Amino acid sequence: QVQLFESGGGSVQSGGSLRLSCVASEYDFSASYVAWFRQAPGKEREGVASIYPIGDEIYYADSVKGRFTISQDNAKNTVYLQMNSLKPEDTAIYYCAESRLNLGRGALYARGYNYWGQGTQVTVSA
């Protein structure tokens, strides 16, 4: 059973930075799509970024392009989301998700993902 563990959330002021981590327990992310999603109260879940290392594929939501960076450390079996220039609109619970499907350009849609972490809260104050 794949287990995902997110960490790194917290509270920051607008313009600040956070780095989220997603660690897989006894699982190799290299052959999977790994994505970050976020959901704020009353809003739909939004795909933020996704990475597929074997295929050299990276996807970002338009709302975070140029501000967020997704990356992977194979040795640590960890996927990161570096979030810079944070805005209040980025406030949400952030979830790590994994899929073994060939998602391609569908990598930012939640329906394609099988495993989810518990979420980590990100709060950005104006």
Side-chain angles (χ1 to χ4, degrees):
Q1 181 74 27
V2 175
Q3 294 183 346
L4 307 176
F5 303 92
E6 303 105 327
S7 63
S11 298
V12 298
Q13 292 183 316
S14 181
S17 298
L18 287 171
R19 190 191 195 194
L20 306 184
S21 299
C22 175
V23 180
S25 178
E26 299 181 0
Y27 183 79
D28 186 359
F29 275 147
S30 297
S32 298
Y33 283 81
V34 181
W36 289 96
F37 290 82
R38 65 187 181 186
Q39 188 164 27
K43 300 186 68 176
E44 295 182 351
R45 186 165 297 185
E46 176 189 19
V48 175
S50 182
I51 186 169
Y52 181 50
I54 290 179
D56 294 323
E57 299 176 18
I58 294 178
Y59 304 90
Y60 293 104
D62 289 340
S63 59
V64 306
K65 286 182 179 178
R67 300 189 298 121
F68 292 9
T69 302
I70 189 169
S71 62
Q72 182 187 45
D73 186 332
N74 288 332
K76 298 181 179 180
N77 209 27
T78 300
V79 171
Y80 302 97
L81 184 68
Q82 178 68 45
M83 305 185 294
N84 298 326
S85 301
L86 283 163
K87 305 174 181 179
E89 306 93 274
D90 297 317
T91 296
I93 300 175
Y94 283 70
Y95 298 91
C96 178
E98 184 269 347
S99 176
R100 302 183 188 183
L101 301 174
N102 186 17
L103 299 178
R105 293 182 177 180
L108 295 181
Y109 294 92
R111 63 178 178 269
Y113 290 84
N114 310 98
Y115 299 98
W116 297 81
Q118 80 286 354
T120 184
Q121 177 71 47
V122 171
T123 302
V124 184
S125 301

